[in-house]
Amino acid sequence: MSDKSNLRRIAVDPVTRVEGHGKITLLLDDANHVREARFHIVEFRGFEKFIQGRPYWEVPYFVQRLCGICPVSHHLAAAKAVDQLVGVDELTPTATKLRRLLHFGQTLQSHALHFFHLSSPDLLFGFGSNLAHRNIVGVIEDYPDLALKGVRLRKYGQQVIEVISGKRVHGAATVPGGVNKGLTIEERDRLLGDINDVLIWAQDAVALNEKIHTEHPENHGFGRLNSNYLSMVGGKGELELYHGGLRASRPDGSNIFDQFDYRGYYNIIREEVRSWSYMKFPYLTELGRDDGWYRVGPLARVNNCDFIATPLAEAARKSFKAFGNGGYVHDTLAYHWARMIEVLHSAESIRDLLLDPEILGTDLVVKGEKREEGIGVIEAPRGTLFHHYKVNEDGTIKKANLIVSTTSNNQAMNESVRSVANEYLDGNEITEGLLNHLEVAIRAYDPCLSCATHALGKMPLEIELLDSSGMAVDRIEKGSNGSITRTL
């Protein structure tokens, strides 16, 4: 292990405007070059232990308490695993389409929340713009129409969730082998009433993000990584968010594997533990721990797929690919652009499902012979999500393993932080603008830290710069209201 005794340490704790709390630590040498960059998850996550001893049928409802932002994703991934525990490999057409409808509602609302509420202040005003204005209130003041579209997009996604599961957050939609209620004509018609507006708002969001990214060349290299990618794809290589095979690709777009049955994920993915974080570091077994890290989420999915089955989103994907000269787009900030393409795809898919006569069917549950193991995988808004359960003879969970999307992006977030710090850190004075540059790199991934840790964070934020002798040369505090105070 290299000697770190002469390195200076900068801590950013916690990272703000993400779902949950994390911490960034930078270690600098005497020449102010970043030697290490670490994105820490500093609280303990215990859901894999909490689940043990619980009856399997409780799990889809239990695990969605991991998070208030993406509970539907955990609910559906767990439900797919539980389907296998009761011996069901294929649901009825109506049950499958109702679950898909629920999932598209979740993707729509989560992506809208992230861009419009958490990330748009940076992209619209600039990473180092005035702190008092760089927030959702500033967006409402300067871009009221845009802010309203964001609110309405998220609201519509929540309405879809509420219709299917009974509640906008932590509802009850699935049962082993199916769903617990059908969709009425009145509910369908109510959702169809707003879908044309939703499609227009989604197209506007794509156009805005394309403009933001293509017209600001300084954003292209910001935290950029030539990485591997992992996602699900459909049987024809299409973008698939609910069910498909796993595809992993290299930075040049060549496949590492394709259409891999996710029920054997443990043969292709390993999880490394490091002493300074409670979050694991997954990697592709074939490439090893040093070269096998990968990215998941919207950027991975839009890069990895061969096409998108809905026409408006496919046209947007082609523009995205044209920006990358037909190859993969590796710009970290292009996550936002890809995210809005998925918003548009979700809106088109919701419309198509609502117009499908089978969505009103009444055959909702399939039964089978019980098994001892179930693995459910889904493309959550933030990326590929794995739920793996083993049960005892009495149906209680004896082992659980969850690989959440943010965990898969862990190494990539560390690499992006290192890239941004190397470019922007001068090593002499800590500024709020610098702090936010580091956070922008993390924020692009839309990390859901509550999924990876399940504990309260802490405020205020303290950042300290130490010289090689260990003496503090600069220290600031960032209060919960965003105020900055230099304390040294």
Side-chain angles (χ1 to χ4, degrees):
M1 182 179 294
S2 60
D3 181 17
K4 299 183 177 65
S5 60
N6 291 326
L7 298 181
R8 286 181 290 175
R9 178 176 178 272
I10 296 177
V12 180
D13 180 15
V15 178
T16 60
R17 270 193 286 138
V18 296
E19 208 294 308
H21 296 277
K23 169 184 172 181
I24 298 171
T25 298
L26 305 177
L27 299 179
L28 286 73
D29 61 21
D30 287 334
N32 296 328
H33 297 307
V34 176
R35 288 276 300 277
E36 283 195 32
R38 293 174 174 177
F39 180 52
H40 304 258
I41 302 302
V42 294
E43 279 88 24
F44 176 67
R45 171 180 178 265
F47 259 75
E48 289 163 331
K49 285 294 183 182
F50 299 157
I51 292 167
Q52 292 181 16
R54 308 299 301 185
Y56 69 83
W57 58 84
E58 286 186 359
V59 171
Y61 304 99
F62 196 79
V63 295
Q64 62 180 337
R65 263 66 183 184
L66 275 162
C67 182
I69 301 298
C70 46
V72 169
S73 301
H74 289 290
H75 182 67
L76 288 174
K80 290 178 73 175
V82 168
D83 292 339
Q84 294 171 40
L85 291 176
V86 298
V88 174
D89 294 316
E90 185 175 355
L91 306 184
T92 68
T94 297
T96 298
K97 289 172 182 178
L98 286 170
R99 286 194 186 185
R100 284 182 174 273
L101 183 60
L102 175 64
H103 187 43
F104 285 122
Q106 160 68 11
T107 303
L108 181 66
Q109 74 87 19
S110 179
H111 281 351
L113 171 66
H114 176 73
F115 172 69
F116 290 98
H117 293 257
L118 302 181
S119 292
S120 69
D122 299 315
L123 300 173
L124 294 172
F125 301 137
F127 307 161
S129 58
N130 183 276
L131 174 63
H133 191 61
R134 193 181 65 237
N135 50 52
I136 186 58
V137 176
V139 174
I140 293 171
E141 291 175 349
D142 289 13
Y143 301 93
D145 291 342
L146 176 67
L148 185 58
K149 288 176 183 177
V151 170
R152 287 175 172 172
L153 274 171
R154 185 176 186 227
K155 180 181 178 181
Y156 184 82
Q158 290 177 313
Q159 288 173 335
V160 172
I161 294 170
E162 186 175 25
V163 164
I164 303 299
S165 68
K167 294 169 62 178
R168 296 187 178 188
V169 180
H170 299 153
T174 70
V175 293
V179 295
N180 61 14
K181 66 176 285 292
L183 186 70
T184 68
I185 293 176
E186 292 75 19
E187 290 169 333
R188 181 202 62 182
D189 291 347
R190 187 163 70 250
L191 293 175
L192 279 173
D194 293 325
I195 193 61
N196 289 332
D197 288 337
V198 170
L199 285 165
I200 292 171
W201 301 331
Q203 290 178 83
D204 290 346
V206 172
L208 173 63
N209 275 269
E210 180 174 356
K211 180 179 180 180
I212 287 173
H213 198 74
T214 58
E215 295 185 3
H216 292 83
E218 68 275 13
N219 291 346
H220 301 169
F222 187 88
R224 187 181 188 274
L225 303 174
N226 284 4
S227 66
N228 305 309
Y229 295 97
L230 175 73
S231 69
M232 284 201 303
V233 293
K236 298 179 180 179
E238 71 273 23
L239 177 71
E240 179 54 65
L241 301 181
Y242 179 75
H243 187 70
L246 293 177
R247 173 182 287 180
S249 56
R250 299 178 181 85
D252 64 4
S254 61
N255 288 341
I256 301 168
F257 53 78
D258 193 17
Q259 297 296 339
F260 188 89
D261 186 340
Y262 61 66
R263 290 174 294 184
Y265 78 94
Y266 44 80
N267 292 315
I268 58 171
I269 296 175
R270 294 286 184 271
E271 297 178 85
E272 181 188 3
V273 176
R274 299 183 187 177
S275 60
W276 46 268
S277 179
Y278 282 117
M279 189 158 61
K280 296 177 183 179
F281 289 77
Y283 61 90
L284 300 174
T285 307
E286 180 177 334
L287 301 183
R289 64 181 297 275
D290 292 332
D291 299 323
W293 59 273
Y294 55 89
R295 291 199 276 186
V296 299
L299 185 64
R301 292 189 290 250
V302 174
N303 272 329
N304 251 354
C305 73
D306 298 327
F307 67 97
I308 300 177
T310 54
L312 296 176
E314 171 62 3
R317 186 196 69 88
K318 288 180 177 177
S319 294
F320 183 87
K321 296 292 284 188
F323 174 77
N325 296 316
Y328 279 10
V329 177
H330 296 294
D331 302 358
T332 294
L333 292 182
Y335 259 101
H336 300 296
W337 184 0
R339 196 168 280 122
M340 292 304 102
I341 292 174
E342 290 190 341
V343 164
L344 180 54
H345 171 60
S346 296
E348 289 183 280
S349 298
I350 289 170
R351 177 201 58 198
D352 293 346
L353 284 167
L354 291 173
L355 293 174
D356 188 330
E358 284 189 319
I359 202 73
L360 298 175
T362 57
D363 187 8
L364 304 179
V365 180
V366 176
K367 296 184 179 180
E369 297 295 325
K370 290 183 180 179
R371 303 171 186 164
E372 295 182 350
E373 186 174 22
I375 299 171
V377 177
I378 200 167
E379 283 293 337
R382 292 154 183 84
T384 319
L385 172 64
F386 298 81
H387 278 239
H388 183 181
Y389 307 115
K390 293 184 179 180
V391 296
N392 293 314
E393 292 181 358
D394 62 358
T396 59
I397 302 293
K398 66 179 181 180
K399 184 178 180 180
N401 185 48
L402 278 62
I403 305 179
V404 302
S405 315
T406 297
T407 303
S408 288
N409 277 332
N410 194 2
Q411 183 64 39
M413 289 188 288
N414 279 272
E415 296 293 337
S416 288
V417 166
R418 181 182 293 110
S419 171
V420 171
N422 273 320
E423 183 172 356
Y424 293 96
L425 181 65
D426 64 18
N428 296 313
E429 181 181 7
I430 306 166
T431 65
E432 192 281 330
L434 166 64
L435 183 159
N436 193 53
H437 276 69
L438 298 175
E439 294 187 54
V440 166
I442 296 295
R443 208 171 288 131
Y445 293 89
D446 189 16
C448 187
L449 306 183
S450 292
C451 291
T453 64
H454 189 65
L456 294 176
K458 59 181 181 180
M459 288 295 277
L461 156 61
E462 295 183 1
I463 312 99
E464 189 173 49
L465 178 63
L466 306 179
D467 64 20
S468 57
S469 66
M471 295 294 292
V473 296
D474 199 11
R475 185 186 302 118
I476 64 174
E477 284 189 5
K478 183 176 180 180
S480 58
N481 62 354
S483 61
I484 300 293
T485 303
R486 180 155 272 104
T487 59
L488 184 67

